[in-house]
């Protein structure tokens, strides 16, 4: 069923490569995805330093005092200008090296609706949480925040100038820079970046660009994230470029309504090989289109197979509620109900990270 459906949708196969030619193919995919969809990646900062704010009483007592809730300010110099943003760092006090998750969230709050901080700590993880609008607003304003610094002419964006997803991804990488300074307390071989919906798209772009991230957790990102555009029954490029043009570069608008695309989202997932990609879908999330997310994972799998690894290991049929395919390096689950970053989803991702 999978290969017939991919052929019916005319999804281009991932190229043949081996370990020695992968970096060239990966580079090509990154170039096309950045030029045509997300925009040019932001430059690395010229300088980065971190300020850890003093802990108040509540911060010291966070989660019964198991793990202080540290407010950190990331200071950077980028394109010759200073840019700073805050995030939370929660590293358990007890001895050990912790796997960790960088979660780009919709709120500057911890715990939050989508971030069950104490449960994450209790599962044996360290957690970093940032709020995407502290980086740049979620709208077409390119004059303020990080956008105001990196966009040469906000009134006339050039075709490949980065969209907001690239900016949120850049901030994830700065939090990863901070994690690198805590190597005594963190297991750097089990580093994850996570996000839901538009921030799931952001997690994938972060994983594409930053090989320090070993697990990419994409919860229900759908269109322009982990769902194939070709043949989708959910949100289309025409919808997303009409409603949220500023998430992308201007070039992406060219693909609204185009039937046969020269690239698709499986290429984005393929750039993350040989690292791990964990994708979650919700059965009633028709806009994200779970079957197109599942097929995207299946189509991307060839990248892992080319490297002698397993990609998605799944039944050869459309996904069903309760499916939890976690045997390969591309994992996919489909749970019941609607669009949400639920405790159920977190548990699936954390169990996989603990066992692989
Ligand atoms: C929707 C958008 C989706 C998804 C979602 C979200 O309206 O069409 O692509 O990203 O928003 O981020 O909440």
């Amino acid at each position: 069923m999978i290969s017939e459906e991919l052929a019916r949708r005319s999804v281009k196969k991932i190229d043949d490569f081996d370990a020695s030619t992968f970096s060239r193919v990966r580079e090509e995919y990154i170039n096309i995805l950045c030029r045509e969809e997300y925009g040019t990646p932001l430059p690395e900062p010229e300088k980065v330093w971190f300020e850890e704010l003093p802990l108040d009483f509540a911060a010291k007592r966070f989660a019964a005092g198991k793990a202080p809730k540290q407010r950190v300010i990331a200071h950077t110099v980028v394109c010759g200008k200073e840019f700073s943003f805050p995030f939370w760092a929660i590293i358990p006090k007890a001895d050990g090296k912790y796997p960790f998750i960088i979660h780009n969230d919709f709120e500057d709050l911890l715990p939050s609706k989508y971030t069950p901080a104490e449960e994450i700590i209790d599962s044996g993880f360290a957690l970093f949480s940032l709020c995407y609008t502290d980086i740049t607003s979620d709208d077409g304003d390119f004059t303020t925040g990080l956008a105001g610094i990196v966009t040469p002419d906000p009134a006339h964006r050039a075709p490949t100038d980065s969209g907001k997803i690239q900016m949120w991804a850049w901030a994830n990488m700065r939090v990863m820079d901070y994690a690198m300074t805590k190597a005594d307390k963190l297991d750097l071989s089990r580093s994850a970046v996570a996000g839901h919906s538009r921030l799931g798209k952001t997690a994938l772009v972060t994983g594409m660009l930053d090989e320090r991230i070993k697990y990419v957790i994409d919860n229900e990102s759908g269109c322009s994230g982990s769902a194939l555009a070709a043949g989708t029954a959910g949100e289309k490029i025409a919808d997303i470029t009409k409603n949220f043009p500023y998430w992308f570069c201007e070039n992406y608008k060219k693909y609204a309504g185009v039937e046969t695309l020269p690239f698709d989202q499986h290429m984005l997932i393929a750039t993350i090989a040989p690292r791990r990609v964990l994708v979650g879908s919700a059965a009633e999330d028709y806009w994200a289109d779970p079957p197109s997310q599942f097929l995207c994972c299946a189509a991307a799998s060839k990248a892992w197979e080319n490297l002698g690894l397993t990609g998605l290991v799944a039944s050869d049929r459309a996904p069903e509620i309760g499916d939890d395919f976690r045997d390969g390096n591309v994992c996919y689950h489909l749970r019941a109900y609607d669009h949400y970053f639920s405790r159920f989803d977190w548990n699936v991702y954390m169990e996989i990270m603990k066992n692989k």
Side-chain angles (χ1 to χ4, degrees), residues 106 114 132 138 165 196-201 220-225 235-236 239-240 243-244 247-248 285 287-288 339:
F106 290 87
Y114 288 152
Y132 78 136
D138 189 359
I165 287 175
H196 170 64
S197 209
R198 69 201 68 181
L199 298 171
K201 309 183 212 296
E220 300 161 17
S221 64
C223 180
S224 313
E235 184 176 23
K236 298 184 174 38
D239 300 311
I240 208 164
N243 297 331
F244 306 103
W247 289 350
F248 307 97
D285 188 5
W287 198 231
H339 192 66

Side-chain angles (χ1 to χ4, degrees), residues 85-314:
F85 68 92
F87 62 93
W88 300 105
I90 307 195
I91 303 177
K93 281 198 300 209
D95 282 350
K97 285 204 174 199
Y98 294 87
F100 62 99
I101 302 174
I102 298 169
H103 182 219
N104 201 326
D105 199 0
F106 290 87
E107 304 175 90
D108 182 16
L109 191 67
L110 205 64
S112 74
K113 180 170 89 168
Y114 288 152
T115 323
E118 189 173 351
E119 289 89 329
I120 294 170
I121 298 303
D122 284 346
S123 301
F125 287 77
L127 172 69
F128 300 93
S129 171
L130 66 156
C131 174
Y132 78 136
T133 47
D134 283 335
I135 315 308
T136 181
S137 56
D138 189 359
D139 56 23
D141 177 6
F142 281 83
T143 63
T144 56
L146 183 59
I149 295 175
V150 300
T151 313
D153 179 0
H156 304 98
R157 293 172 63 218
T160 58
D161 280 356
S162 40
K164 298 282 173 107
I165 287 175
Q166 281 284 20
M167 298 176 195
W168 299 323
W170 183 90
N172 284 345
M173 293 184 239
R174 305 295 68 86
V175 178
M176 186 63 202
D177 293 341
Y178 176 77
M180 299 294 287
T181 70
K182 302 281 169 192
D184 55 326
K185 288 290 290 176
L186 301 175
D187 176 356
L188 296 176
S189 69
R190 284 189 296 157
S191 54
V193 62
H196 170 64
S197 209
R198 69 201 68 181
L199 298 171
K201 309 183 212 296
T202 302
L204 290 168
V205 170
T206 312
M208 165 175 77
L209 296 174
D210 191 340
E211 293 178 278
R212 297 173 301 177
I213 311 285
K214 304 302 181 196
Y215 294 77
V216 178
I217 298 175
D218 162 42
N219 199 65
E220 300 161 17
S221 64
C223 180
S224 313
S226 59
L228 288 173
T232 182
E235 184 176 23
K236 298 184 174 38
I237 297 176
D239 300 311
I240 208 164
T241 54
K242 180 165 160 279
N243 297 331
F244 306 103
Y246 43 84
W247 289 350
F248 307 97
C249 67
E250 289 287 304
N251 266 344
Y252 199 36
K253 291 180 180 155
K254 293 192 299 203
Y255 300 97
V258 171
E259 286 291 314
T260 314
L261 294 159
F263 62 92
D264 209 329
Q265 298 308 121
H266 60 314
M267 291 164 62
L268 171 63
I269 293 184
T271 64
I272 300 167
R275 295 164 290 142
R276 295 197 164 95
V277 182
L278 283 42
V279 172
S281 292
E284 292 168 23
D285 188 5
Y286 306 110
W287 198 231
D289 194 19
S292 292
Q293 289 186 280
F294 171 76
L295 284 170
C296 188
C297 294
S301 283
K302 188 172 168 227
W304 279 263
E305 285 150 22
N306 283 343
L307 299 172
L309 301 165
T310 50
L312 179 73
V313 180

